[in-house]
């Protein structure tokens, strides 16, 4: 075999290895994005948990809940009564009474966990990515509280 042919074959093998490495990298990236999409789907339609929700990075969290109404509140509001926060500071509930009834009927979730105390408070422990709290009213109504 000629020397030029050997060099050509070596270069061809290196190029094939590079193409294979790039393809493997893309496949890994696609699988990572696929797994994020599956997690996101479970957030909306499955029985995901607060732990799974808190694992999401901010960009994924916001893309999963794109279009969900958001309310901006000062971080100083944390520690206040949840009924005041949801019925007075925001308009998630039209009245404190309706909010209270929803809590008593197990119809309110905070970060995918049922919230059962009408005297309860939201704290920094509830924050996702240091600034978000996901409120679920009933089965299908989601809201995001963003604390600055």
């Amino acid at each position: 075999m000629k020397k030029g042919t050997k060099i050509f074959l070596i270069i061809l093998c290196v190029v094939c290895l590079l193409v294979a490495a790039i393809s493997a990298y893309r496949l890994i990236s696609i699988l990572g994005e696929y797994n994020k999409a599956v997690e996101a789907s479970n957030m909306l339609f499955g029985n995901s948990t607060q732990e799974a929700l808190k694992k999401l990075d901010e960009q994924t969290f916001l893309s999963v809940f794109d279009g969900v109404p958001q309310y901006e509140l000062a971080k100083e509001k944390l520690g206040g009564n949840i009924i005041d926060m949801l019925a007075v500071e925001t308009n998630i509930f039209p009245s404190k009474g309706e909010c209270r009834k929803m809590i008593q009927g197990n119809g309110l979730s905070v970060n995918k966990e049922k919230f059962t105390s009408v005297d309860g408070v939201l704290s920094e422990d509830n924050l996702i990515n240091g600034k978000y709290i996901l409120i679920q009213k009933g089965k299908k109504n989601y809201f995001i509280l963003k604390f600055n």
Side-chain angles (χ1 to χ4, degrees), residues 76-120:
E76 293 76 35
K77 298 288 183 182
L78 288 169
N81 181 275
I82 191 166
I83 292 176
D84 289 333
M85 194 170 298
L86 300 181
V88 177
E89 300 295 329
T90 68
N91 65 354
I92 293 173
F93 287 95
S95 69
K96 290 182 179 185
E98 186 176 322
C99 185
R100 184 176 293 105
K101 286 177 189 173
M102 184 71 75
I103 292 170
Q104 290 169 337
N106 285 329
L108 182 74
S109 295
V110 173
N111 296 337
K112 303 301 276 183
E113 302 286 330
K114 290 292 181 187
F115 198 90
T116 58
S117 173
V118 293
D119 297 319

Side-chain angles (χ1 to χ4, degrees), residues 125-142:
D125 292 339
N126 297 112
L127 295 177
I128 299 166
N129 294 310
K131 58 182 158 186
Y132 301 104
I133 294 178
L134 180 68
I135 302 295
Q136 185 177 357
K137 174 182 166 185
K139 291 190 180 213
K140 298 179 182 179
N141 300 304
Y142 289 94

Side-chain angles (χ1 to χ4, degrees), residues 55-72:
K55 284 182 186 176
L56 294 178
D57 61 71
E58 184 174 6
Q59 181 181 0
T60 304
F61 174 80
L62 291 174
S63 69
V64 167
F65 296 102
D66 184 40
V68 169
Q70 291 189 27
Y71 297 90
E72 290 195 27

